[in-house]
Amino acid sequence: RRVHGHPSSIMSEKVIQKSTRSSLGGVAFEVSFEDQENQQHAVTCSPRRVAVEGKTAAATTAEELAARLQEAERRRLAGLREQTERNVEHIRRFEERQVLEQEERDRLTSEQALDTEVKEKRRQQLLEEKVNSAKKEAAKVARAAQARALADEEREQRRVLLERDLEEKEARRQEALLQVKNKAAEHLQRAEKVRELRKSGGVHVVAE
């Protein structure tokens, strides 16, 4: 507040503006005060009265400034609390998102491990089935080979028996034929003797 001229001059109040700016925790605050009075006082007073009024006005302005500073501090603290709450909420959401992402990664890892385990079991099962099938086929081939060998042996035995039988029959036929030849030769010899006797002596001999 300023007083212009002589005590008899007009007192006018100009704009009183004061700004306080502070920054705490990355949050800036600006408080502006403006006290504007468009009243003009045409009062003729003594210097003493002017001084008293000046003190009263200064006290009132100081109280208003203190109140406004207190209000600004309250707002700053409220802003800090809100910012802190927002930061805490942001951190909470970030941590929740991290937990969810980790759970998703764990789930995918578990599913992949389960899928790998299932595939490995299936592969082992198929391998065992192939081995068992190969064993069965080998046993089947072995049985077939054994059966063929047995059949070949039986055929060989029958062939030997048949050849032996044929040889025995041929031997008996040859023996019978030889006996027939021998008898025929003996008969011819006797017949020849009879003819010779007839020629030589005229003896009649009856052939046997």
Side-chain angles (χ1 to χ4, degrees):
R1 185 185 299 274
R2 292 183 300 175
V3 180
H4 297 278
H6 192 268
S8 62
S9 63
I10 300 174
M11 297 177 58
S12 62
E13 294 184 359
K14 300 294 183 178
V15 176
I16 300 175
Q17 181 174 359
K18 185 175 183 181
S19 299
T20 61
R21 190 182 299 267
S22 62
S23 177
L24 294 175
V27 181
F29 298 92
E30 182 177 349
V31 182
S32 298
F33 307 101
E34 183 174 319
D35 185 7
Q36 188 176 7
E37 294 181 0
N38 296 322
Q39 298 179 357
Q40 295 181 353
H41 300 277
V43 180
T44 302
C45 58
S46 63
R48 182 178 180 182
R49 184 172 181 179
V50 171
V52 172
E53 289 182 355
K55 291 181 180 181
T56 303
T60 302
T61 302
E63 291 176 358
E64 291 178 354
L65 179 61
R68 293 179 181 180
L69 287 174
Q70 186 176 2
E71 178 65 18
E73 181 67 13
R74 186 188 66 77
R75 291 179 180 177
R76 185 184 68 82
L77 293 177
L80 285 176
R81 282 194 299 271
E82 292 178 358
Q83 183 65 35
T84 301
E85 291 175 358
R86 286 194 296 270
N87 292 339
V88 170
E89 181 66 17
H90 177 73
I91 292 172
R92 185 185 65 80
R93 292 179 180 178
F94 178 75
E95 291 177 348
E96 288 181 353
R97 185 167 61 252
Q98 281 189 326
V99 170
L100 292 176
E101 290 176 354
Q102 184 62 40
E103 290 178 353
E104 182 66 16
R105 287 193 295 270
D106 294 341
R107 184 183 65 80
L108 292 176
T109 302
S110 178
E111 289 181 354
Q112 290 176 355
L114 181 61
D115 184 61
T116 302
E117 183 179 358
V118 171
K119 288 182 178 179
E120 181 63 21
K121 287 183 178 179
R122 180 57 182 168
R123 188 183 70 82
Q124 291 292 337
Q125 183 179 359
L126 291 175
L127 183 60
E128 290 178 359
E129 290 177 356
K130 289 181 179 179
V131 170
N132 293 331
S133 178
K135 288 181 179 179
K136 290 179 180 179
E137 188 65 24
K140 183 178 179 180
V141 171
R143 288 194 300 269
Q146 185 178 4
R148 284 195 300 270
L150 183 60
D152 292 341
E153 184 178 359
E154 290 178 353
R155 282 194 300 270
E156 182 65 19
Q157 289 177 357
R158 287 195 299 269
R159 185 187 65 80
V160 170
L161 292 175
L162 180 60
E163 289 181 354
R164 185 180 301 173
D165 184 60
L166 290 175
E167 289 176 355
E168 290 176 354
K169 287 181 179 180
E170 181 64 20
R172 288 193 297 269
R173 190 183 68 81
Q174 292 292 335
E175 184 179 358
L177 183 61
L178 182 59
Q179 289 177 359
V180 170
K181 286 181 179 181
N182 291 333
K183 288 181 179 181
E186 291 176 357
H187 182 72
L188 289 174
Q189 288 177 359
R190 286 195 296 270
E192 185 65 27
K193 287 179 180 181
V194 169
R195 283 194 300 270
E196 289 178 355
L197 288 173
R198 285 178 180 178
K199 287 179 180 180
S200 62
V203 180
H204 180 73
V205 179
V206 178
E208 293 178 358

